[in-house]
Structures are given as C-alpha cells and as structure tokens.
C-alpha cells in the first residue's frame, strides 16, 4: 500500500495518542517535564510552520508535522535512547498504516535524530523538528508541584514566562525570543542546561540556510 497518510490521520489515531499519553506518564513518573499531546501538537505545528515560511512543499510540511507529533513516543519504552526506539515504533506504525516507504524513511530519520545526545539535523524535516522541539521551553511544562522540589531543569523551564520562535526568511534567520524571570533563573543557568540544544538548533538552522539567534529579555545571548 502507498497511502498518502496525513498529519490529521496521525493526530486522530487512537493508538498513537495512547503511546503519547503513556510516554508522558513515563517521563512524568521519572520527574521530567511535560511530554503530552500538547507538546506533540505544538512541536508538529511549529515544525510545519517553519517549512511553510521557507516555501517547502506541502508534502514536506506534512511529513515534518507527522514527525513532530510522533517524535517522543519512544518514551513509552524508556527515556534513555527514546529517539531510536521511537523511530522504530514509528516505522512499524506508519508501515502498517500503509504510508509509502520513502515517506516512512524520512519521518523515522527525523525522529531518530532529534535527541541532542545522539542526533543532528540531516535534512529539512529533521531540522524543522529539532528547532520546534528544542525551543519549546515554558513554565507549564514543569510537572513538579512544589517549587522547593525543583531541580535545575524545573527551575529553568519555570523561569521562562514566554517563548517565541521567529522565522525571518528575508533576514536569513530563525530567532528564539525568551522572557525570563531572572529571580528564578539566570542566563548562565539557562545555558548550563540548554547549551547542547542551542548548538543543535544552530546546526538545524544551517541545514535550512538560516542563522540561529536567541535573545532573553531583549538581550542577545547567541
């Protein structure tokens, strides 16, 4: 079968949504930030918007959104190496749904490359996924209930009052705008946790022919 599987097909699939819910339960039980359908949807929509702003094809945009929605399902198995296990899960699911093998390969590559410890952007789909995922930093992703129990990851995420990813094709840039509460977290705290992710975003931007920039409270930080 060579079905033209759409983002809506994926988003409305009961099995995929169950795996996302279970993955969120697993990461929550381990004390990690939120990895729910809300995160999956935001990453999917942002990845699609990035490619749309850069005039990629409708199919490439759809594939980026599919990869974005499914990228964290590997957490169902274990947080460790979740990018690779998630890619294998996606391969099985999408193949069984009848997606063309060429599209399956692109989606699975993107999912398998999205973790900063083992992956890197290798094409526009993976680059859009990485930029969308690694810039989703926000207060309401913190699952720890008591501030006194926050570790540095919780503190940094909680300090981000708002974030916005701005794609500017005319200037050849993608810029992350952060509104940080400096009473909770400093820029140094942010980079202690997210330096690897920002380097990954730099590489992803380059794949798309862009420069990656970041500003906190109006001040350039990279």
């Amino acid at each position: 079968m060579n079905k033209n599987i759409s983002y809506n097909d994926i988003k409305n699939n009961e099995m995929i949504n169950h795996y996302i819910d279970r993955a969120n339960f697993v990461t929550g039980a381990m004390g990690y930030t939120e990895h729910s359908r809300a995160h999956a949807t935001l990453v999917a929509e942002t990845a699609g918007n990035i490619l749309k702003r850069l005039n990629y094809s409708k199919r490439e945009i759809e594939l980026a959104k599919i990869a974005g929605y499914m990228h964290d399902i590997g957490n169902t198995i274990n947080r460790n190496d979740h990018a690779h296990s998630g890619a294998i899960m996606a391969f099985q699911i999408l193949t069984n749904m009848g997606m063309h093998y060429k599209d399956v390969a692109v989606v699975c590559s993107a999912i398998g490359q999205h973790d900063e410890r083992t992956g890197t952007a290798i094409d526009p789909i993976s680059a859009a996924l990485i930029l969308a995922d690694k810039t989703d930093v926000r207060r309401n992703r913190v699952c720890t209930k008591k501030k006194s129990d926050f570790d540095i990851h919780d503190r940094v995420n909680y300090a981000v009052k708002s974030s916005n990813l701005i794609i500017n094709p005319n200037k050849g840039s993608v810029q992350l705008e952060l509104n940080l509460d400096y009473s909770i977290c400093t820029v140094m705290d942010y980079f202690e946790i997210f330096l690897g992710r920002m380097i990954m975003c730099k590489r992803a931007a380059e794949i798309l022919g862009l420069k990656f920039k970041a500003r906190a409270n109006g001040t350039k930080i990279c």
Side-chain angles (χ1 to χ4, degrees):
M1 291 186 291
N2 291 319
K3 293 182 181 177
N4 197 26
I5 303 297
S6 71
Y7 168 56
N8 283 334
D9 292 330
I10 298 302
K11 191 174 182 182
N12 294 318
N13 185 284
E14 181 180 355
M15 178 173 61
I16 292 171
N17 282 325
H18 177 75
Y19 288 146
I20 292 172
D21 292 343
R22 181 65 184 180
N24 187 47
F25 169 79
V26 171
T27 54
M30 297 174 68
Y32 286 96
T33 51
E34 168 261 340
H35 286 75
S36 68
R37 294 189 208 181
H39 171 65
T41 301
L42 181 59
V43 171
E45 298 288 348
T46 301
N49 185 56
I50 290 169
L51 295 191
K52 183 177 181 181
R53 292 294 310 277
L54 297 173
N55 295 317
Y56 281 86
S57 70
K58 289 184 178 180
R59 190 57 187 160
E60 287 170 305
I61 293 168
E62 281 289 285
L63 292 178
K65 291 167 77 172
I66 290 169
Y69 195 72
M70 299 181 72
H71 76 282
D72 272 335
I73 59 173
N75 284 304
T76 300
I77 297 172
N78 196 297
R79 176 65 181 171
N80 187 46
D81 212 22
H82 75 283
H84 299 154
S85 53
I88 293 169
M89 290 175 67
F91 171 83
Q92 188 70 55
I93 294 166
L94 297 174
T95 298
N96 288 345
M97 289 178 71
M99 179 182 274
H100 193 286
Y101 66 89
K102 291 184 178 179
D103 287 347
V104 172
V106 170
V107 171
C108 290
S109 292
I111 294 172
Q113 293 289 346
H114 88 271
D115 187 76
E116 64 269 20
R117 289 169 293 183
T118 58
T120 188
I122 45 88
D123 63 12
I125 310 301
S126 60
L129 167 57
I130 286 166
L131 284 167
D133 181 40
K134 302 311 174 189
T135 57
D136 183 20
V137 187
R138 49 190 163 83
R139 177 168 291 185
N140 57 359
R141 289 196 70 190
V142 177
C143 295
T144 307
K145 302 301 181 184
K146 294 171 59 179
K147 290 183 182 180
S148 58
D149 293 334
F150 281 3
D151 63 12
I152 189 170
H153 294 84
D154 294 326
R155 195 168 72 250
V156 169
N157 278 278
Y158 194 81
V160 180
K161 294 189 287 186
S162 65
S163 64
N164 188 26
L165 190 66
I166 302 169
I167 312 300
N168 195 327
N170 294 329
K171 293 184 178 180
S173 68
V174 51
Q175 182 162 295
L176 175 62
E177 291 276 357
L178 297 167
N179 183 1
L180 286 177
D181 184 339
Y182 285 146
S183 69
I184 300 173
C185 154
T186 67
V187 172
M188 285 297 291
D189 289 332
Y190 183 87
F191 271 96
E192 180 182 349
I193 299 302
F194 292 122
L195 179 59
R197 299 183 189 184
M198 296 301 98
I199 292 172
M200 197 180 199
C201 286
K202 179 178 180 291
R203 164 67 177 168
E206 289 170 352
I207 288 287
L208 297 171
L210 304 173
K211 290 183 178 180
F212 180 74
K213 300 179 180 180
R215 299 201 320 166
N217 298 354
T219 301
K220 181 179 178 180
I221 55 178
C222 74

